[in-house]
Every structure is written in structure tokens, then in C-alpha cells.
Amino acid sequence: MAGISDRGSIPLRSTFLLNLLYRWLDMTLTTKDFAVFVAVITAAYYIIPAILPAKMRGCQWWIIPAANIYFLFKAGLSGLLFVLGTSLYTYLAGLAVKRFKYRIVPVFSVLFYVALMVVMRLPVTNAIAATGLSFYSLMCIGYVIDVLRGSVEAETNPVKLFAFVSYFPHIIQGPFDDYEKMKERMFSYHEFDHERSVLAMYRIALGVMKKLVLADRISNIINVVYADPAGYKGLTVLYAAILYAVLLYADFSGYMDIAAGVSKLLDIEITENFNIPYLSKSMAEFWRRWHMSLGLWFKNYVFYPVLRTPLCNGLRKHFKKKKNKYGMNVVPSVIGLLAVWTLIGIWHGFDWNYLCYDWFCGAVIIVSELLGPVYNAVNKKLPFMQGRFMDILRTIRTFLLVTFSFMIFRPDTLGDSFTLMRNLFSGIGFKAFAEFVYWDMFDVFLITPALIIVIVTDVMKYRGRDIFCVLRRRNFVLRYAAYVLLLVYVYVAGYEGASMGFAYSVF
Amino acid sequence: MKKFAGIFKFIIKLLGVCLASYALYTLLFWFLWEWEKGPDAYDDSYDRAFLRQIKAIKDKERDPEIIVFGSSCVAFAIDTQTLSEKTGMNAQILGVEASIGDDFLAGRLKKYAKKGDVLVYILGKASDRAADFITVSVAYEADKELLKEYWNEEKSGLKFYRRKLIWRKLYSMSVAGLVENVRSHLSNREQIYTISSFDEKGNMIAERTGNLMGDELNPDDTIVFEDLDADKLEGFNNFYAWCKENDIELYIAYQPYMEGSYTTTEEGLKEFDEKVDKLMDAPVLLSQKDYILPYGYFYNHPYHLNTEGAVVYSEILGEALKGYIKER
């Protein structure tokens, strides 16, 4: 009997190991596979170092590159090799920039990444690159420039740099983290903290709700409109456009909540990407609150360098001579903004919709900048312009403007965008709108509680209160009832169709 | 072990929350769908008429009768009284909408049809093959025995749709009434989709007068041979063989078509009939063109007749069926 049992156990064990290695896993952040992966990584991250002798606890961070490798491997072997290659290149580029002070080295490195992003977006090569190429390429560029500027030391350990570049919570959709800030958190020893982990779980649950209930269900409602823009008009187009604005926020910030929550479990804070963007009072403020790390990246590595170019310096001198303070400040800024918005458009993809969308956003910000003195004068002369009511109106105006800009971003072609915009103003179409809403009442019914939760969370955040901390202070029964209800709600109301994937994972 | 106390406490709490959530979810499903005294949110629903039809056919005491089955076109096109007068046999309708599924209807007839019954399948474009799990569950909701019997047949369906069943019922219990009221105020269409629109025989008794459709006729609404699901027709040949073995008659008839909406030529119609005749083992009653009716007989859909149209269509069908019934 022993023999039979022994013979039986070998294939069983090997099958398990083979499954672990070769079974296809869906590592999308809302799947069960990913949840199991995070649970195993978190347990290993805290338990393995704790059972090791004290002097070896510093090796805790090795679990991160190991997790990254597994995560990338499950997404595709070519992607893993690609990230390994680019990480090695970044490591060597960092050392070269430090060793050789010639400007050609960083310039060549940056051009290499730009060329990589261009080449890998071609249909022929698209399958080779790991998802998130646009995100980690910018992080690599940032690292090389920082080494050149001396704001960060060139990393001498290639594994550490790989751990940073390929860090699984931020590799697919960002945020764009700064190596200097990250390395301190990533490579130090962390002990498990109950309170922190509970807060991390809240954040993950909120993110999953945003994605599965809000984003995926809204997608189900509005995709028909974007598939046939000529078939809808007036209120239906407005309704679809507003819902798309909610969808994009729920999708992208939902991803960020999950990524930040997972990272918080490992006690590694990643950069925040959203700060209640739909409560902004101007387009410029919106972009300081929406995809914040992208804005910060372009500000640091494009906007400021453009301001220091001979052209901008020359213009500044020219206006200074003419004693034109307005021109001296505004004209170089406008040139910098033009460069930033054009590059963000290209970064989004080789697509006229993206480019026009980013130009539109840039144009609104530039016009606001140009008219800044006029606004200030009017605001000073008319006291009612500074009241709370006007702030609410400005918030609504900005939301509608952002919603309108997404009508350029979302449709498949620029032609479709124009069709939608034309149809938006070609009549009210109340009856068609009522029917459209009626046919998706199930989805509207299911997303309403999620929408209320997100609005309450954001409004509380705007007032400086964290809903998670407020909940933590409630009594045991109320707190746990809230957890259980939220979980059941997300499970029941989550979209039951095939996962739509995260909107920004295509970039 | 002390150093792991924090992580264990966290894991236990997490598992506790997951278990409590699962328990609440299970309890919620049991309360909404499985408990005999649970809420019945569909007592006024259109689909509930189907349960009444099933119960009528299931009745062991009934005499053999004509059972006309198919999609919603059956509910809108058949007047059982006219059919009985024409044929001299009692008639019963089985079918309220396409999503009940033809295979499901045939399956129920295999269970409940009796020797001497005359089954008439109305072949049409709208008929789905497979049953929609939610529609059948909604229809059966008031009869837990039938409901559980169906769920036992469709275990994978139940697993997949369990969550949807919960929110569908919560929706019906909370906002559905308000939404339907608002809709009926906004819409100029008569709200006929309630159980009170049907009688025990499955006739649509709600008064349907005139034509609520626009004047536009859509060629897509007419059937071409390619629209027919070959597998479904093959399935009906098996069903026909089963009927013969059990001394039950099965005939096939066409759904009503709107005059002017058919885009094919006379030859096209003939070819269609020939193909169906060739493919189907069961006798086909008349040809497709015999079921073409004027625009004025249609109600709110190109396959739905108004009250007057239902009488005319039932006369055509009864007349055709009479010949076969007399022959036996």
C-alpha cells in the first residue's frame, strides 16, 4: 500500500507545481487569481522574514522582485523578458549617466525609451511588449533624468531597480512613482501592522466596487451609444457622456484604490493619482487632481525643461526689455503647456482622438491662463463672484467641460466625436432618452448605491475626513455590518458578464 | 508565535467577514427565492401567465386538447374559442414570450402532454431555442416545487444566475412598480404586460385595438429560411418521433406576417415552404403566404396581432387543422 501511495503522490505534487507555473491565471486586479496571489505574497512578505534570524530580515524586499516576476510571467513570458531587458538597460543607463558626464548619454537613453514606445505600439510588435509599457517607460526616463540631475543616486543593484520598475501594483497603469521616494519604503524592513492592513482592505474593497459595479455596468449601458453615435441625440448623448465621465473615474481610480491598497498591505505607499477631480473649479485644477502623477511627471520632465530652453529664455528676455510682465510670464508658460499637452496626446497613443482631446484640454487651460488677469479683475469688482454659490457653478461648469472633452476621447474615430457633439445639440429627444434609461433600469438600480458611496467618500475627503477612519471609530457591530453589506453588495451587483478590463491598461 | 499574533488576528477577522458575507448572501437567496413564505414579487407579472398554462396542461383530469405553443406571437395570435369552434376540440395556449425557449416548451410537453393531444408549433423568427433562466424562474416563482425541479435540471444555470436572481427580485420589490408607472405615463402604448391580460387558457384578453406601430415596415422582421436554426428543427424531428410513439399529434404552422413586409418573391415563398417541408418530419399546416394578414390586424409588434387579428388567424389555423383532425 505504501508503494501505491508513494507512486500516487509524485504526479499529484508535480501536477500542482506545474499548475502553479503553467496554468493560465487572470492577473487582472479584480480576479480571484489576483486575490490569491496577493494573499500569498503578503503572507510570505511578513512570515518569511519573521522566521529568519534578525540579521537576515533585510532580505524581505527580495519577495517583491520575485512577486513581480511571477506576476509578469503570468501576463506573458515575452512581457517578462521585455521588462527584464528594459530594467537592465535602465540600470546600465543610470550607471553610464553617473560615470560619463556627457549629455549624449541621457539624451540617447531617453530617445531609446521614446523609440521603444513608438515601435512597440505598432500592430506587428504590440504583442511582444508587456502591458503598461507607456507607464514604466516614463518611470525609467524619470529615473535616468534624476540621476543626471543628481536628485537620485544611480542604483548599483540591478535587482533593486528591477523591483522598482516592475513593481506589480504600479506597472500596468501607474502611478508614476519616483525612485528616490520609493526605494526608502521598498527596501527597508516592514512589520505587519493590523490597523494599516485593515485600512488597505477598505481601500481594495472600494476599488473593486468602483470597477465591478460602477465602471463595468456603466460600460454596459453606454457602449451602444458609442457604437452607433449617429443613432442617438440630445439628452441620451448627454446622459451617455456624463455616465462615461463617471465610468472613467470609477475605472481608473478604482484601479488606483486596488493598487494602493495592495501596496499598503506591503507597507509601501505609492503616489496618489486622484484627489476628488470632479470637485475642481477649473480645468487646470482638474488636471492637478486627475491622473496627478502623470501631470507631475510632465511638469518635472517636460514643462520646466521647456521653460529653460533658449527659446523661452530669449522670449523672457525680450518681454523683460519691453517691460511687459504679462508676456514675460505667460508666453513661455503657453509654449511649455503646448509641448506638454502635445506630448501627453502622443503618449496616450497614435490616435487623433487622443491628440485632439489633449489639445482641447491644453487649449482650455492656456486660454484660462491668458485670460487670468481679466478673471481676476472681474472677481475683484463683483463681490458675488467669490461666494460659495459661484464656486458650485464653477464646479458644475468644469465637470461639464471635462465631460465634453471625453466626447473627443472615448469615440472610436474623430468623425464619431463630431457626430456625437452635433447630435448633442440637435434636439432634446426626451422620449428616446426615457426609453434608453428604461431599458437599462436594472443597471441604473444596481449602480446607484455605489455612486452614493463614491460621492459620500469624495465629499468627505474634500472636507478633510477619511470615510475609512470614520468607519474605524464606529462600534464593532456597525463596523462589521458595513463590511459585510459592502461585500455582499459588490458580489451581487458586480457585472456578471466578461470582465471589461481596465480602461487605462491599453496605454 | 507572539510575533505572528497580529497577522493571525487579521486573517481570522478577514475570514470572519468573508464567512459572514457568504452566510448573509445565502440567507438572502433563501429568503427571496427558496422560502415558501418568502416575498412574491412577480404575482402580477406577464411571465406568471406561463405558470398558469403549465398547470392547466399538467392537470391529469383534463381531456385531450389542442395545445398551440411557441413565442409571444402565440399569445397574441391565438383565440382558443375560435380554434375550438373550428375544430371541435378544446384548445390551450402554451407560451408567453420568446425567451421561454422552444426546447424548454417541448421538454414540458414531453412531461405533461397526454395521449390524444394535438400539438401545434408556431414556427417563427422570434423563437429562441434555449430557455432564459431568469424568465423561467420568474414564471415558476410561486410554485416552489416546479421551481426547484427546474433548478435541478439546470444546476449550472442556477450557479451562474444566483446573483442575478437576487438583484432582479430586489429590483422588482423596490423600484419596478414606480419605474413601470412612470413608463406608462410617458408611453402611449397600452400596458398589457401583466398577468391580468391573460385568461386560464392563455388567451390575451386585454383589449387590443388598432395598430400601435408606426407605418414603417422593416424587412428584417420577415423570416427567411436562413433565419431558422437547423439544430432546432432537427430537435423538433426528434420531438415528433417521441409524439408519434406516445399517440400525440404534432403539426407545424407559420406565425402571422404583415402584408407588404415580406420582401421575397412568390418563388421565394414557395422555395421556403419546400425547404421546411423537406426538413421537417411533422406535417406543416398550409404555406407561409396563407398566414399573411393586412396591416390593420397587427398590434404593437410585427408578430403581434390585435384582438380582431387573433380571431382571423385562429380561423385560418383552425380551418387547416380541422382537415387533419377529421382524418384520424
Side-chain angles (χ1 to χ4, degrees), chain B residues 261-280:
Chain B
S261 69
Y262 201 75
T263 50
T264 357
T265 56
E266 192 75 22
E267 291 76 46
L269 285 167
K270 202 177 160 196
E271 193 189 333
F272 182 97
D273 286 340
E274 281 170 4
K275 280 183 177 172
V276 172
D277 277 342
K278 199 175 163 189
L279 201 70
M280 303 302 288

Side-chain angles (χ1 to χ4, degrees), chain A residues 68-88:
Chain A
N68 296 348
I69 287 175
Y70 189 74
F71 181 82
L72 289 168
F73 173 65
K74 284 297 164 192
L77 184 63
S78 63
L80 168 64
L81 296 174
F82 202 84
V83 178
L84 279 169
T86 43
S87 299
L88 184 65

Side-chain angles (χ1 to χ4, degrees), chain A residues 50 438 442 480 491-492 496, chain B residues 3 13 163 167-168 180:
Chain A
Y438 174 78
F442 289 141
Y480 278 83
Y491 185 67
V492 170
E496 49 282 275
Chain B
K3 58 188 170 189
K13 279 186 180 177
R163 295 187 293 151
W167 63 251
R168 279 289 290 263
E180 292 304 326

Side-chain angles (χ1 to χ4, degrees), chain B residues 33 42 132-139 150 161 164-165 168:
Chain B
W33 283 95
Y42 303 105
D132 175 63
F133 188 86
I134 302 289
T135 308
V136 176
S137 298
V138 165
Y150 172 64
Y161 286 110
K164 195 170 181 176
L165 284 170
R168 279 289 290 263

Side-chain angles (χ1 to χ4, degrees), chain A residues 42-43 46-48 50-52 57 192 194 197-198 201 217 265 430-431 434-435 438-439 441-443 445-446 472 479-480 483-485 487-488 490-497, chain B residues 3-11 13-14 16-18 20-22 24-25 28 159-164 166-172 174-175 179-180 183 186-189 191:
Chain A
T42 309
Y46 292 111
I47 292 171
I48 294 174
I51 54 177
L52 290 174
R57 283 182 188 161
F192 182 81
H194 183 268
S197 303
V198 170
M201 292 308 293
R217 284 210 176 269
L265 272 179
F430 182 75
K431 202 175 166 193
E435 272 190 22
Y438 174 78
W439 287 116
M441 265 323 283
F442 289 141
D443 286 322
F445 168 71
L446 288 170
R472 284 295 286 162
R479 204 166 69 230
Y480 278 83
Y483 303 158
V484 169
L485 282 174
L487 277 188
V488 173
V490 172
Y491 185 67
V492 170
Y495 185 61
E496 49 282 275
Chain B
K3 58 188 170 189
F4 296 123
I7 200 162
F8 283 142
K9 191 177 148 196
F10 177 72
I11 290 169
K13 279 186 180 177
L14 193 62
V17 170
C18 291
S21 305
Y22 182 73
L24 177 65
Y25 168 74
L28 191 62
K159 196 177 165 191
F160 185 78
Y161 286 110
R162 195 178 270 263
R163 295 187 293 151
K164 195 170 181 176
I166 290 180
W167 63 251
R168 279 289 290 263
K169 195 148 188 183
L170 289 174
Y171 173 84
S172 295
S174 54
V175 295
V179 170
E180 292 304 326
R183 190 202 179 201
L186 293 175
S187 164
N188 56 6
R189 291 187 181 185
Q191 298 302 301

